Amino acid sequence: MDTDALRWFQQVADGTTVTEVSELEGLTQPGVSRALARLERDVGAPLLQRTGRTLRMTRAGAIFKRYVDVVLHELDDGLSAVNDEMSPDSGTVVIAFQGSLGTWLIPNLLASFRAEHPDIRFELNQIRDEIAAPRLLAEGADILITTTSPRSDDVGWRPLMVEPLRLATHRDHPLAEQESIALRQASAESFVTLRAAYRLRRLTDALCQAAGFEPQVAFEGDDVPTLLGLVAAGLGVAIVPAHHTDVLERPSVRYLELTDSAAYRTVSIGWSTTRRLRPSAELFRTHVIATARQSS
């Protein structure tokens, strides 16, 4: 059904003449009349009848008009919402991010971005490491911020920063007297780690293997704050990202720099290469990359 004809019917039903409609729309009067006649055929009932020089609604027209008003109102709201979504200064950006980045990096990026673009909204989705990037983007994420960079032609990646890893120990632990440490010095310790599916756990295992030992895992958890709680209770040592040592203050925990050359993780941003980013999402992607460049 022609939405233009619905609008012209609405205008005529509200008292605008066919001549006035044609002048407003830049059309011929016969063209508007033919469109209204087609609309009546589509509906299957006469909607307008002439009374003297004026077109008035029939009973069927009055019934139909109530629904036309609702439909066109919803349509206009939908068009307005899409326009807002596609505007570079509004809309919603969907971000999927690794949980361990949610205490420092994501809040900092959002705060600096919203200072310049206060009307852009965000949908935040904390993800587990094992969920594949192409799947996340296919399910609606605009931007990924993670420490994994899988090879895929469907995903574009850009490194943002290198984050050192540190060894967390209880403050009364003998190792806590040192400012830095080689990981092999902790080979006899009990470790508290994330579960095997997490990227940080895989990094922990790889670092220990490179240092010549297999870690003795006493406890496994699902987030870094849990690991630090276990360390604070004296239940083991843990390899944690450096930024957590700044934002998660625990007086009973000491953080030692690791001198091992591979004791770091790379934080990256990802986006789909198979669909164009909405303007608001492209603005945020550009902001994240520029912020990382300024910080390096």
Side-chain angles (χ1 to χ4, degrees), residues 105-246:
L105 179 59
I106 302 302
N108 291 342
L109 290 173
L110 294 180
S112 58
F113 183 78
R114 287 291 297 275
E116 298 180 6
H117 305 282
D119 294 328
I120 292 180
R121 300 174 298 279
F122 286 87
E123 181 179 320
L124 305 179
N125 298 305
Q126 184 172 313
I127 59 173
R128 297 173 68 96
D129 295 1
E130 65 267 25
I131 301 178
R135 171 185 158 191
L136 287 166
L137 293 170
E139 291 178 349
D142 296 311
I143 299 294
L144 307 179
I145 300 180
T146 75
T147 61
T148 60
S149 303
R151 297 182 181 276
S152 171
D153 293 336
D154 295 337
V155 183
W157 287 99
R158 176 76 175 264
L160 297 177
M161 64 190 69
V162 172
E163 182 181 21
L165 300 176
R166 295 177 180 172
L167 186 72
T169 71
H170 191 276
R171 66 182 179 186
D172 295 331
H173 194 286
L175 293 175
E177 299 176 359
Q178 306 180 58
E179 293 295 328
S180 61
I181 187 175
L183 189 55
R184 57 180 171 77
Q185 294 177 254
S187 59
E189 303 298 326
S190 295
F191 279 75
V192 293
T193 70
L194 297 181
R195 302 187 194 280
Y198 289 93
R199 170 71 173 165
L200 183 58
R201 169 61 181 275
R202 297 194 293 272
L203 284 174
T204 296
D205 290 346
L207 280 171
C208 292
Q209 184 178 9
F213 70 96
E214 181 177 343
Q216 303 175 34
V217 178
F219 297 95
E220 294 181 329
D222 287 312
D223 56 61
V224 174
T226 297
L227 301 189
L228 295 179
L230 294 170
V231 172
L235 297 174
V237 301
I239 296 176
V240 298
H243 282 90
H244 277 76
T245 68
D246 300 326

Side-chain angles (χ1 to χ4, degrees), residues 263-290:
Y264 66 88
R265 66 178 187 171
T266 301
V267 181
S268 300
I269 182 173
W271 62 91
S272 174
T273 58
T274 61
R275 59 180 171 87
R276 184 177 180 180
L277 283 176
R278 290 170 301 199
S280 54
E282 178 58 33
L283 270 178
F284 183 69
R285 186 183 77 93
T286 301
H287 172 79
V288 171
I289 293 173

Side-chain angles (χ1 to χ4, degrees), residues 49-56:
Q49 62 184 7
R50 184 169 294 280
T51 304
R53 295 184 178 182
T54 305
L55 284 176
R56 300 188 184 279

Side-chain angles (χ1 to χ4, degrees), residues 253-270:
V253 178
R254 286 289 312 278
Y255 302 99
L256 314 180
E257 293 185 10
L258 288 170
T259 59
D260 303 70
S261 60
Y264 66 88
R265 66 178 187 171
T266 301
V267 181
S268 300
I269 182 173

